[in-house]
Amino acid sequence: MKRIRLAAILAAAVLALLPTSATADATYPDPQPITGQQIIHDPTVMHLKSGGYVAYSTGGIIGARLSKDMKHWDDAGNAFAEAPSWWYEYNDKADPWAPDLSYRDGRYWLYYAVSSWGTNHSAIGVATSRSGLPGTWTDHGKVFTSEKTDTWNAIDPAIVRADGKLWMAFGSYWTGIRMVQLNPGTGKAIEDARVHHLATRPDEPYAVEGPYIAKHGRYYYLFASYDTCCQGVNSTYKIKVGRSTSVTGPYVDSTGKPMLEGGGDLLLAGHGKYIGPGGQSIFRTQGRDWLAYHYYDADDEGTPKLGLNQLRWTRDGWPNAL
């Protein structure tokens, strides 16, 4: 009897040390509830000056979603009616990836990547629109390219302005996240642009991609997606962040470890039915910062869906997802 009682006490003690699913899930917040067209991949979201919200994404000829309140989203077709002919140089299906939406000089600018799985024969292109709405975009061709001889991959663009200059972060696997300066007039890389190195992993295959850079206070924050995307419920994507007082780095995490040495604070990871969050971007509306990303819904056979979480900044200047 004593032996049974002792075994029960030991078992209870062991169970007390193990995290319950509720405790583990509480570490990462669920996205806000949304309705309508939820399916999306690599979202970029913006509050349009005409009112309402638009989200562009991987899929179709840059898939489009529209919303009046960020809660109900409607399918709005594609950014383009047809694919520009030069896309076929990089993808035989003219399938663009990972768009980035920004606004400057009275126009919306839509950057995107064209490539094929597993190669760095890739290109980043740009289009402009006065309204930012699907079907109104004029393509302007290539911004920056990479070839198999390069040690970077020209996909996953993200635009940021800093100190009167325009910059584009980009990168996927190979040696990680890179950055080049752009000509603000053309929106394309300046001649003989230096390729800065912002983040990587210690070992091959250097599984970091999808950068996004946001300014808060005196720091620039580099958000990036780590590990494996696009495998449905088997995806291991997660979002990490580091910061720097210079847009070109060096970026470090809250312990001071450089992102060029594998550093980065974990901002959001899979929990519950929300598997593999990543492909993130940041947007600001009504005085608040929001994190947009996709996750794979374990309750819906791993379908990629839109995640939206408000960002809160701590007193020492680090972001938390709410």
Side-chain angles (χ1 to χ4, degrees), residues 147-189:
E147 299 299 337
K148 294 179 180 179
T149 53
D150 291 318
T151 57
W152 55 80
N153 192 9
I155 70 169
D156 295 359
I159 306 305
V160 61
R161 285 182 283 187
D163 301 322
K165 296 178 181 179
L166 189 67
W167 300 88
M168 180 178 72
F170 66 92
S172 171
Y173 285 69
W174 273 259
T175 54
I177 307 305
R178 300 282 184 155
M179 172 176 273
V180 293
Q181 186 180 343
L182 304 182
N183 180 319
T186 65
K188 300 182 179 184

Side-chain angles (χ1 to χ4, degrees), residues 86 97-102 104 109-114 122-127 141-146 152-172 176-184 186-190 193-199 210-214 220-223 247-249 251:
W86 71 265
W97 300 343
D100 176 82
L101 182 62
S102 57
R104 70 176 187 278
W109 297 72
L110 187 65
Y111 287 78
Y112 57 85
V114 191
S122 310
I124 292 169
V126 65
K142 303 173 190 178
V143 171
F144 190 74
T145 65
S146 61
W152 55 80
N153 192 9
I155 70 169
D156 295 359
I159 306 305
V160 61
R161 285 182 283 187
D163 301 322
K165 296 178 181 179
L166 189 67
W167 300 88
M168 180 178 72
F170 66 92
S172 171
I177 307 305
R178 300 282 184 155
M179 172 176 273
V180 293
Q181 186 180 343
L182 304 182
N183 180 319
T186 65
K188 300 182 179 184
I190 63 173
R194 176 185 172 187
V195 181
H196 299 267
H197 202 182
L198 306 187
Y212 192 88
I213 295 178
Y220 296 93
Y221 291 79
L222 171 59
F223 299 80
V247 74
T248 56
Y251 288 86

Side-chain angles (χ1 to χ4, degrees), residues 18-317:
L18 293 173
T20 65
S21 59
T23 302
D25 288 358
T27 306
Y28 304 106
D30 295 348
Q32 76 162 22
I34 63 172
T35 59
Q37 177 55 276
Q38 301 179 43
I39 299 173
I40 207 164
H41 215 273
D42 304 322
T44 179
V45 180
M46 182 174 283
H47 188 193
L48 298 174
K49 293 187 177 299
S50 60
Y53 298 85
V54 64
Y56 288 107
S57 66
T58 296
I61 314 177
I62 304 181
R65 312 281 184 268
L66 293 174
S67 175
K68 294 180 180 179
D69 57 8
M70 288 202 318
K71 295 179 181 178
H72 181 85
W73 293 85
D74 293 314
D75 193 323
N78 298 303
F80 296 95
E82 59 183 38
S85 59
W86 71 265
W87 290 5
Y88 291 95
E89 299 175 37
Y90 297 91
N91 185 300
D92 59 8
K93 296 181 180 179
D95 180 23
W97 300 343
D100 176 82
L101 182 62
S102 57
Y103 182 86
R104 70 176 187 278
D105 301 331
R107 290 190 290 176
Y108 293 89
W109 297 72
L110 187 65
Y111 287 78
Y112 57 85
V114 191
S115 185
S116 297
W117 194 267
T119 178
N120 65 333
H121 173 63
S122 310
I124 292 169
V126 65
T128 58
S129 165
R130 291 292 180 184
S131 69
L133 292 169
T136 67
W137 294 94
T138 299
D139 191 65
H140 301 290
K142 303 173 190 178
V143 171
F144 190 74
T145 65
S146 61
E147 299 299 337
K148 294 179 180 179
T149 53
D150 291 318
T151 57
W152 55 80
N153 192 9
I155 70 169
D156 295 359
I159 306 305
V160 61
R161 285 182 283 187
D163 301 322
K165 296 178 181 179
L166 189 67
W167 300 88
M168 180 178 72
F170 66 92
S172 171
Y173 285 69
W174 273 259
T175 54
I177 307 305
R178 300 282 184 155
M179 172 176 273
V180 293
Q181 186 180 343
L182 304 182
N183 180 319
T186 65
K188 300 182 179 184
I190 63 173
E191 187 175 356
D192 299 323
R194 176 185 172 187
V195 181
H196 299 267
H197 202 182
L198 306 187
T200 190
R201 303 287 289 274
D203 304 303
E204 293 186 25
Y206 313 113
V208 54
E209 59 188 3
Y212 192 88
I213 295 178
K215 180 82 181 295
H216 180 78
R218 67 189 187 95
Y219 290 102
Y220 296 93
Y221 291 79
L222 171 59
F223 299 80
S225 298
Y226 284 65
D227 295 326
T228 304
C229 167
C230 314
Q231 303 298 317
V233 295
N234 296 316
S235 301
T236 57
Y237 242 18
K238 56 183 67 72
I239 302 170
K240 292 187 177 184
V241 62
R243 71 184 185 186
S244 173
T245 54
S246 169
V247 74
T248 56
Y251 288 86
V252 300
D253 62 23
S254 61
T255 71
K257 186 174 182 178
M259 294 184 80
L260 280 171
E261 297 176 12
D265 286 354
L266 188 56
L267 178 68
L268 191 63
H271 60 285
K273 74 170 189 175
Y274 305 101
I275 306 300
Q280 72 291 322
S281 59
I282 312 296
F283 68 101
R284 188 168 179 82
T285 182
Q286 300 178 353
R288 297 176 178 177
D289 293 319
W290 287 82
L291 175 72
Y293 57 94
H294 69 255
Y295 66 89
Y296 301 93
D297 189 344
D299 291 346
D300 191 13
E301 300 181 339
T303 300
K305 295 183 178 180
L306 176 62
L308 295 171
N309 289 79
Q310 188 181 334
L311 282 184
R312 179 180 62 190
W313 300 87
T314 64
R315 287 187 177 181
D316 55 355

